[in-house]
Amino acid sequence: MQIGSGVVESDGRQIVGLRMKRPGRHWSVTGANAVLAIKCCLTNHRWVDFLHWKAQQAVAA
């Protein structure tokens, strides 16, 4: 298991960069947060956490 901060920063940059910074993409803050939440939960195998977060968002709206 990697413990250095460089690996963590690289993974974060890839997760955000691959999905959010492609040419022609424009995001609202809400949309960007939702897409990043999905991507991070899938990457970390924490789908249940995403479903919990989504349920909280629905209640707040």
Side-chain angles (χ1 to χ4, degrees):
M1 180 173 282
Q2 301 290 334
I3 59 170
S5 66
V7 175
V8 174
E9 290 177 17
S10 175
D11 286 346
R13 186 171 44 252
Q14 286 181 346
I15 288 171
V16 173
L18 289 175
R19 183 68 179 156
M20 306 300 289
K21 294 183 178 178
R22 290 185 177 162
R25 300 271 172 120
H26 301 284
W27 298 94
S28 67
V29 172
T30 304
N33 284 337
V35 169
L36 288 174
I38 292 169
K39 182 70 173 167
C40 289
C41 287
L42 289 174
T43 301
N44 294 320
H45 306 287
R46 299 189 67 141
W47 188 244
V48 173
D49 291 340
F50 170 73
L51 294 175
H52 179 68
W53 174 82
K54 186 64 178 167
Q56 287 179 336
Q57 294 295 315
V59 169

